[in-house]
Amino acid sequence: MNDVSETSAPLRPRLLSVLREQMRYMHYSIRTEEAYVYWARSFVKFHGMRHPATLGRVEVEAFLCWLAAERQVSPSTHQQALSALLFLYQKVLRQDLPWMGEIGRPRGERRLPVVLTADEVVAVLAHLDVQELQLATPHGLLGRLLYGTGMRLLEALRLRVKDIDFEHRAIVVRQGKGAKDRVVMLPAALEAPLRDQLAQAHAVWAADRDAGVQGVLVPHALARKYPRAALSWAWHWVFPQARLAVDPRGAGQRRHHLLENNFQRVFKLALNNSAIHKPATPHTLRHCFATHLLQSGYDIRTVQELLGHADVSTTMIYTHVLRMGGGAVRSPLDSLAMSGLPLAMPPGMPPARPPAPSAYPAAYPPAGRPATVRRAREPTPCFHVALLPSPNTLNCTAAATSAS
């Protein structure tokens, strides 16, 4: 018997691993990668752990219908799940099927942003200062930075030492939304607090160098091109986290910036303590920045550049906020009040006469109008056949047919 060396076939990589590799190949952000992996896993579990290659349009639409009808997700979440599945089939499974372009996309909803008044902003920032003293974290400075520059929360948390230019009073926002850079102003009121924060961050950086902790995360291949860049003070975080964190892409433990969910919880607590009953989030401070600039007379193109919007139509939504409330069109009711006409019932006037009893049966509710007003004729409802018998109407279906 001849000895035959059997070579086992190489194991096929797991679907989600291939999905991650493809997204990293196309330079998607870590947040988009986590979201797409989540929806791909949910899609497979929904269909009993069947491989997506064996599923088609019916199964994809069934999953999306389940999200919309049973889970009642928002249109943006529905759109994200659909985009994840399309990426899975087109880029990972390499299936360019005609039905992919025929799947209906949810209609987006355009909502007005929540904006706080200047007094409400002051109250929230004051409570953030209280939380900063209690937790020994720069939450008050972070809140002022969001309101004073219009940055997004993650943009502020990802600031590095080299991005702050005190001489020109400018802050460079790196890798913002859409991987775009922009420059925003450095408020004069934050110059001294930022210097104090940099001094505290420098102490953390020096302790890491003494302890031999690996450097912070640097983008792309800079760690290989400049091996000491991650260890340098210029690339260190402005808001470093107190404890070391595990790199989500398997690079071990390193110093990370503050987590956004910590500030979100503190902001919500400050909002409750300020007795502000608005669905505000840290992103609301960005809306307040844009709205208050427009109220101060700055042109919309300047605000668009500071916010980093690619299209001015996105910035135009803040003009809709300006047209609401006290700075908007005067109500005609206020015009009557200014003309001196009485808006309330004069004293001594008898109350209005109660409505006359209705001639309709109890099953059909009365319209609540005075008896002198003539009602419009309308077909008798189908369920009144038993109460108002008619010799020409034999059943409910016949009554509905004659009424239509």
Side-chain angles (χ1 to χ4, degrees), residues 55-102:
L55 306 176
R57 174 178 180 174
V58 177
E59 289 78 9
V60 171
E61 291 183 339
F63 175 71
L64 296 176
C65 289
W66 173 73
L67 289 178
E70 300 295 333
R71 299 292 298 274
Q72 297 183 357
V73 299
S74 64
S76 59
T77 304
H78 190 168
Q79 178 71 30
Q80 185 187 68
L82 175 58
S83 300
L85 296 182
L86 293 179
F87 184 90
L88 175 65
Y89 276 93
Q90 294 176 350
K91 304 300 182 181
V92 179
L93 300 178
R94 305 295 180 180
Q95 296 183 9
D96 191 8
L97 302 177
W99 55 264
M100 293 182 180
E102 301 176 359

Side-chain angles (χ1 to χ4, degrees), residues 110-124:
R110 191 70 178 269
R111 299 184 180 274
L112 293 177
V114 178
V115 178
L116 304 178
T117 63
D119 294 336
E120 292 173 339
V121 172
V122 171
V124 171

